[in-house]
Amino acid sequence: MFELIDANVAKHISLTPSELDLFHSMLHLKKLKKKQFLLQGGEVCHFSGFITKGCIKNYILDDKGHEFIMYFAVEDWWVGDISSFFEQKPGTLFIETIEDTELLMLDYHNSEKLFKEIPKFERHFRILIQRSMSTLQQRFFQTLAKPAEERYLEFLKKYPNVAQRVPQQLIASYIGVTPEFLSKVRHKLVKKV
Amino acid sequence: MFELIDANVAKHISLTPSELDLFHSMLHLKKLKKKQFLLQGGEVCHFSGFITKGCIKNYILDDKGHEFIMYFAVEDWWVGDISSFFEQKPGTLFIETIEDTELLMLDYHNSEKLFKEIPKFERHFRILIQRSMSTLQQRFFQTLAKPAEERYLEFLKKYPNVAQRVPQQLIASYIGVTPEFLSKVRHKLVKKV
DNA sequence: GTAAAAAATTAATCTAGATTAAGAAAATCA
DNA sequence: TGATTTTCTTAATCTAGATTAATTTTTTAC
């Protein structure tokens, strides 16, 4: 149950057996069916979730109800609304399962305790957030600077496994175009080859 | 010299006088004239800089040499290429002064030492990065979901002081349009009132 | 196995914003 | 101070991608 998350943490910090036990004791398993919400806009995010099985989408809705996907997450990813979680204020993100999903949940209270008792975790999460930050920066730049076709190919290259698990309309949302336009782009790509 | 940076750090962690001395000893002052580079794409970022005076732009160039501004920074802001800094690998960001600027520089070596000797700093920077992350997330969403006019007004509201210090073409780049189009937007806004 | 729902495609029309080019205004500098 | 550089504006033309709407294909669920 904890193999994946232990390996995840071990990438940046090393823990003693007793620290590991303490960490495990703070987690609880959550199982969700497909199309269920982990979090909805307007709510306070009380958890950081580590996916051990399944796939979710993390998105924002605009006034007209259009989804804008911030990211997909599969096994070995942490999910949550970072700013809502750390400030414990209502956020704007929706988190919804795309497949039946299992997560190890770390709630806010426990995360504060964790940082206090094992400050090394501060480092682990700093590094994770840092990575997300530079990924988002690159993506933001590409969305402004590169045409949809290039962004689509980039997505396939970067997340080949995700690309096979989520419907195309969600990929369209992720790269920032309508499903109709992505369809056109794909058509053009097929002809090219 | 250290008032501003001490207040900045005190927002999230409290330091003893000796910790503060250690911190100060790791910083050095850097003065730059207008239009000078702190960092160029392709270089490794060896510093985190805290601005005590002046203004910089942080941007990426595309293939055609167009600037895409990631953010402006003025007094009381930290600047750097986060991913290049923490991974000590070549990055893509350019950092260039827009005004004569003074910064307190913390180099990579010292920052590692700082985290080791005063782990509380790990927390301070985690919180800063977290904030940048959620700001960037909001901005990314708005750039996809909202029209240029709204983004421009949002910028003026959020950074009124910056708006008065930087030329309009840079604001155009920040909100993700050409200077010509921003000019048009502004013209339309004037007529509206 | 079939009906219903969800996803993907195609095509016509439309538009926000880009591009190109030129001139006007403002800031800088010797 | 005037000359030069930088910034801003205006206008004509163009295009990537949106919108709308209809049709087909695939998936889901009973």
Side-chain angles (χ1 to χ4, degrees):
Chain A
M1 178 174 173
F2 295 120
E3 302 80 48
L4 202 57
I5 201 170
D6 288 350
N8 180 272
V9 170
K11 280 176 200 162
H12 309 122
I13 57 177
S14 53
L15 298 173
T16 65
S18 73
E19 285 172 338
L20 216 48
D21 282 347
L22 176 62
F23 177 46
H24 292 168
S25 76
M26 290 175 172
L27 302 168
H28 70 271
L29 187 68
K30 183 160 195 161
K31 296 185 182 193
L32 289 173
K33 292 255 160 234
K34 195 173 171 170
K35 288 194 188 184
Q36 289 196 293
F37 286 100
L38 248 179
L39 183 71
Q40 285 186 267
E43 296 176 356
V44 174
C45 178
H46 294 293
F47 65 91
S48 276
F50 179 83
I51 302 183
T52 54
K53 183 167 162 291
C55 182
I56 65 94
K57 58 180 173 180
N58 186 316
Y59 61 93
I60 304 186
L61 291 182
D62 72 6
D63 332 308
K64 288 169 215 145
H66 289 131
E67 259 179 49
F68 291 82
I69 296 194
M70 302 306 296
Y71 59 84
F72 300 107
V74 293
E75 295 79 9
D76 199 32
W77 284 61
W78 286 90
V79 298
D81 181 337
I82 290 178
S83 69
S84 168
F85 180 74
F86 283 106
E87 320 231 338
Q88 287 292 290
K89 287 182 191 160
T92 51
L93 291 178
F94 291 73
I95 304 180
E96 192 183 339
T97 55
I98 305 181
E99 302 173 358
D100 294 358
T101 299
E102 295 182 15
L103 307 102
L104 289 168
M105 305 288 280
L106 175 68
D107 70 35
Y108 182 71
H109 178 71
N110 275 327
S111 85
E112 285 290 281
K113 219 166 93 187
L114 188 64
F115 286 143
K116 214 177 199 168
E117 311 216 352
I118 316 176
K120 278 178 278 188
F121 268 97
E122 200 77 72
R123 181 179 183 85
H124 179 60
F125 284 101
R126 194 209 66 205
I127 294 174
L128 291 186
I129 293 170
Q130 221 162 261
R131 291 257 170 82
S132 325
M133 176 80 192
S134 72
T135 301
L136 182 59
Q137 234 171 39
Q138 278 303 317
R139 185 166 156 223
F140 180 52
F141 165 66
Q142 288 194 358
T143 303
L144 290 177
K146 309 260 167 94
E149 180 177 320
E150 214 169 313
R151 281 179 270 148
Y152 175 60
L153 292 173
E154 187 65 25
F155 176 80
L156 294 185
K157 207 168 85 187
K158 206 161 176 188
Y159 304 106
N161 46 334
V162 176
Q164 257 137 20
R165 286 167 77 166
V166 307
Q168 253 170 62
Q169 43 172 311
L170 297 187
I171 297 178
S173 166
Y174 182 90
I175 65 171
V177 296
T178 57
E180 292 84 356
F181 191 69
L182 177 56
S183 187
K184 212 160 147 184
V185 166
R186 282 163 48 83
H187 182 80
K188 211 182 112 200
L189 283 171
V190 170
K191 277 201 309 186
K192 259 189 191 170
V193 184
Chain B
M1 177 175 173
F2 296 120
E3 303 80 47
L4 202 58
I5 201 170
D6 288 350
N8 180 271
V9 169
K11 280 176 199 162
H12 308 123
I13 56 176
S14 53
L15 298 173
T16 65
S18 73
E19 286 172 337
L20 215 49
D21 282 346
L22 177 62
F23 177 46
H24 292 167
S25 75
M26 291 175 171
L27 302 168
H28 72 270
L29 186 68
K30 183 158 193 162
K31 297 185 182 194
L32 289 173
K33 292 259 160 231
K34 193 173 171 170
K35 290 195 185 185
Q36 290 195 292
F37 287 100
L38 248 179
L39 183 71
Q40 285 185 269
E43 296 176 355
V44 174
C45 178
H46 294 293
F47 64 91
S48 276
F50 179 83
I51 301 182
T52 55
K53 183 166 161 293
C55 182
I56 65 94
K57 59 181 174 180
N58 186 317
Y59 62 94
I60 304 187
L61 290 183
D62 73 4
D63 332 309
K64 288 169 214 142
H66 289 130
E67 256 180 51
F68 290 83
I69 295 193
M70 301 308 295
Y71 60 84
F72 299 108
V74 294
E75 294 79 11
D76 199 31
W77 284 62
W78 287 90
V79 298
D81 180 338
I82 291 178
S83 69
S84 169
F85 181 72
F86 283 106
E87 320 231 337
Q88 288 293 288
K89 286 181 192 161
T92 52
L93 292 177
F94 291 75
I95 304 180
E96 191 181 340
T97 55
I98 306 181
E99 301 173 358
D100 293 357
T101 299
E102 295 181 16
L103 308 102
L104 289 168
M105 305 288 278
L106 176 67
D107 68 37
Y108 182 71
H109 178 72
N110 275 326
S111 85
E112 285 289 282
K113 217 166 95 186
L114 189 64
F115 286 142
K116 211 175 200 168
E117 310 216 351
I118 316 175
K120 278 178 277 187
F121 269 96
E122 199 80 68
R123 180 179 183 84
H124 178 60
F125 284 102
R126 193 207 64 200
I127 294 174
L128 291 186
I129 293 170
Q130 221 162 261
R131 291 257 170 84
S132 323
M133 176 81 192
S134 73
T135 302
L136 183 59
Q137 233 171 39
Q138 279 303 319
R139 187 167 154 223
F140 180 52
F141 166 65
Q142 288 194 358
T143 303
L144 289 178
K146 310 260 167 94
E149 180 176 321
E150 214 168 311
R151 282 179 270 149
Y152 176 60
L153 292 172
E154 187 65 25
F155 176 80
L156 294 184
K157 208 167 85 188
K158 205 161 177 187
Y159 305 105
N161 47 334
V162 177
Q164 257 136 21
R165 286 166 79 164
V166 307
Q168 255 169 60
Q169 41 172 314
L170 296 188
I171 298 178
S173 166
Y174 183 90
I175 65 171
V177 295
T178 56
E180 291 85 355
F181 191 69
L182 177 56
S183 186
K184 212 160 147 183
V185 166
R186 282 164 49 83
H187 182 80
K188 210 183 113 198
L189 283 170
V190 170
K191 276 201 311 188
K192 258 190 192 170
V193 184

